[in-house]
Amino acid sequence: MDFTENLFNNNLLECNKLTKIFGGTTALNDLSLTFERGRIIGLLGPNGSGKTTFIKLINGLLVPTRGSITINGYLPGVETKKVISYLPDKMILNNWMKVNDLVSFYKDFYEDFKEERAYDMLKDLDIAPNARLKSLSKGTKEKVQLIMVMSRDAELYCLDEPIGGVDPAARDYILNTIIQNYNHKSSILLSTHLIADVENILDDAIFLKYGTVTRYAPVDQIREESGMSLDELFREEFKC
Amino acid sequence: MLGKLIKHEFKATYQLFLAIYLIAFASIPFAIFSLSQYEGGAFIGFFKGFSLFAFIILLIGVNIASTIICIYRFYTHVLGAESYLTNTLPVKPFHLITSKALVSGFWSLCGNIVSIICGYVVLKFSMPHIINEAKTALHELYKMLSYDTYFHLENGTKLITRGSILTTLMVLLTACILSIILSLVSTPVLYYCSMVVGQYISPKHKVVSAIITYFVINFAMNIISSVASSILIISSSFRTDPYIYADEVLTLVAMLRTITYRYMPFALVFSIAVFIGTFFVTNHLLDKRLNLE
């Protein structure tokens, strides 16, 4: 797919029969879906449903067993990494670094990184730029990690449990930050268990169960069809 | 991007290495004191012994620090906790491997230089006669090589000229230097290859798998190297030519020539092949087969 085709193609991501098998366990099974630009998409499912596997496949951290995944028409690689901003579900930062070292690290490697936005967010969350990461609490480190990810003007944000480890006040700030980054060019894929907290900001929702998509539709449509909120429907569908 | 990767790799490691080198330099006076003629009581004796022991351990530590840090950094950054950040940077695996290998090679070189300086200073101040003896021996060797030497054998006269031995020695020295430079970057790449292959074979037991892979690669390399060098030496003229074999100096010179012109080219080509092979495997697995479970 060439550049002009990409420009007029509203599909940011396309999966075709995407399958990932670990040993004998199928983590994702024949996943076929597309993401349009300008959407906030909730990736919802219980533990072990394949959410993190899907996000890792998008980011090129795993190789599909079968099928394919493309972002902007490219297979995961240098070109896709330039446009995807990824927040993993674990701490990935170098502890020896200071916060401002991290800012310069991101600035060096990502052309779309906005230094000023990062420092503004650090100030808002009362995080000292010259603090060493190892001296920060787990929750604060998670905030720093999220700030780095959201300070990019990426085309696709993949956020794996972005609000799981932070306090409710910071959670609101983070969700507002996510909404502020919402524009017609970029999409946000958000994986979380805290559905009630994010329900109001989602445009679409994907329900994953045992590596298979059971629902993928606009949130309003899901609510209308089921007569329940997304949170209620999730509890109903994934009842233990 | 390669430049940026190298810059950040240096930034992440320089403080640690400078601290190690400073400690090594700071230990020099203690080592000199431990080798001095001064005799005190039992405590001084213990202190001297301890200082010398600590100095030797430090010199070994300076040399192996770069290896340990090289392995640790690659493991944590490319396959461990921080791999999610490293592997989502918009850089090619080729650049990632090159940057880490170059920086690791640089610190290995610095470690060797620091060890040599420390050792030289300690010997210079505590046992200057060893330095003088070494200088004299080198001078004598040079003088010996400055004259043409004739050997009269049954089949006629064989002449060994100064020029031919000096040329052989210079070629050997150059080959050794090239070999050392190559090993500075090929050794880390061998570790990287073992770790990446280990991760590929068994993601759940990647450390054990990497260690086994390292020993398997090393074993295979040693077998190939031993067989090839045996063939080269057995087929050499100093073993087969009865006239050369009969004379000690001629045997020595022929052996030197065999090592220089037959074994060293093989060793260099073999090292380059291993380097290219391990680099290619590491790059391929990181680029096409990465599975960070």
Side-chain angles (χ1 to χ4, degrees), chain A residues 106-121:
Chain A
Y106 269 79
K107 193 181 155 198
D108 265 357
F109 286 104
Y110 297 106
E111 285 174 15
D112 58 8
F113 186 78
K114 304 292 172 207
E115 190 179 10
E116 203 182 321
R117 192 193 296 172
Y119 281 116
D120 284 347
M121 283 198 263

Side-chain angles (χ1 to χ4, degrees), chain A residues 47-59:
Chain A
N47 294 332
S49 58
K51 302 187 297 292
T52 297
T53 301
F54 181 45
I55 290 177
K56 283 185 182 179
L57 283 161
I58 294 172
N59 285 283

Side-chain angles (χ1 to χ4, degrees), chain A residues 89-102:
Chain A
D89 59 344
K90 57 175 83 168
M91 281 309 302
I92 58 164
L93 304 177
N94 302 310
N95 259 332
W96 63 269
M97 276 185 171
K98 288 180 178 175
V99 176
N100 47 18
D101 288 332
L102 198 59

Side-chain angles (χ1 to χ4, degrees), chain A residues 20 22 56 60-63 78 81-82 86 88 90-94 96 101 105-106 108-110, chain B residues 1 4-5 7-8 11-12 77 81-82 84-85 87-92 288-293:
Chain A
K20 182 67 193 176
F22 295 115
K56 283 185 182 179
L61 298 175
L62 290 173
V63 178
V78 173
K81 287 169 188 175
K82 283 180 186 169
Y86 170 49
K90 57 175 83 168
M91 281 309 302
I92 58 164
L93 304 177
N94 302 310
W96 63 269
D101 288 332
F105 181 86
Y106 269 79
D108 265 357
F109 286 104
Y110 297 106
Chain B
M1 280 296 177
K4 287 176 184 174
L5 285 167
K7 180 184 112 180
H8 283 282
K11 212 172 164 186
H77 283 225
E82 291 158 18
Y84 287 65
L85 178 60
N87 289 301
T88 50
L89 292 175
V91 296
K92 291 177 180 153
K288 308 281 184 206
R289 296 277 182 272
L290 184 68
N291 272 307
L292 295 175
E293 290 180 24

Side-chain angles (χ1 to χ4, degrees), chain B residues 39-51:
Chain B
E39 284 181 20
F43 176 74
I44 295 291
F46 170 77
F47 182 74
K48 282 172 78 175
F50 178 77
S51 297

